[in-house]
Amino acid sequence: MPLLTQEPQITSVDAEQLALIRATVTFDALRSFYDDAFGKLPAAIASSGLAITGPPRGLTFGLPTDTIDVGVGFPVDGVIEVTDDVAPFQTPGGRAVTYDHRGNYDYLSDVYAELFAWIADHSLIRGDVVWEIYLTQPTPDADPEDMITQIVVPVSDAV
């Protein structure tokens, strides 16, 4: 059964300035990395004098292997100074495919597989960084099936 429940959209996205914590981790350490980074970022952003301007982001750089190069960040209203954990990062602007996944995070890897196949079927090439925008926040009493995650994949035309 396909997991893409609606048609992905080809659109244009603006570049965004993020405060980011980035690491290369194993898949079994991914949740712990996210929890730790999301715990640290708001205080680091506040102490820098910047403000959070939107929902959190999760970024993936390159293609995963046995490990995954990931970042966790928030869009901010300036360029954060580098610390031991936090660094500035600007998402690329331009043409992108977006898709709103509604449901459990556990299905995201299969959603990505279908989305990347859709991108290839449309003669597009994905960029080096892909990100998720967490439009709903998980809470202990939230139903995982109610989560909305927007996936953003920068693309260019196949040569």
Side-chain angles (χ1 to χ4, degrees):
M1 178 172 122
L3 289 173
L4 297 185
T5 58
Q6 75 260 351
E7 188 78 5
Q9 300 298 307
I10 300 173
T11 188
S12 180
V13 297
D14 293 330
E16 281 188 301
Q17 188 63 49
L18 304 180
L20 188 78
I21 296 177
R22 183 175 175 178
T24 299
V25 299
T26 60
F27 282 93
D28 60 345
L30 194 56
R31 180 170 294 207
S32 175
F33 168 73
Y34 267 66
D35 289 346
D36 184 55
F38 280 134
K40 290 178 181 177
L41 277 167
I45 293 166
S47 70
S48 74
L50 298 176
I52 295 172
T53 60
R57 296 351 186 203
L59 292 81
T60 303
F61 300 88
L63 289 174
T65 57
D66 293 344
T67 59
I68 184 168
D69 183 0
V70 292
V72 170
F74 283 95
V76 291
D77 61 352
V79 178
I80 198 161
E81 290 191 32
V82 175
T83 67
D84 289 341
D85 294 323
V86 183
F89 181 81
Q90 186 173 26
T91 60
R95 199 159 146 215
V97 170
T98 60
Y99 179 77
D100 289 352
H101 168 66
R102 297 176 190 279
N104 198 311
Y105 298 141
D106 293 342
Y107 302 122
L108 281 172
S109 63
D110 293 329
V111 168
Y112 273 106
E114 288 184 25
L115 185 58
F116 291 164
W118 185 93
I119 288 168
D121 288 347
H122 286 79
S123 301
L124 299 169
I125 298 173
R126 74 176 205 95
D128 292 333
V129 61
V130 173
W131 61 95
E132 300 167 355
I133 303 172
Y134 304 109
L135 300 176
T136 54
Q137 298 303 307
T139 61
D141 58 337
D143 182 346
E145 296 306 316
D146 292 336
M147 298 294 99
I148 302 172
T149 305
Q150 184 176 69
I151 300 170
V152 182
V153 183
V155 294
S156 59
D157 291 324
V159 180

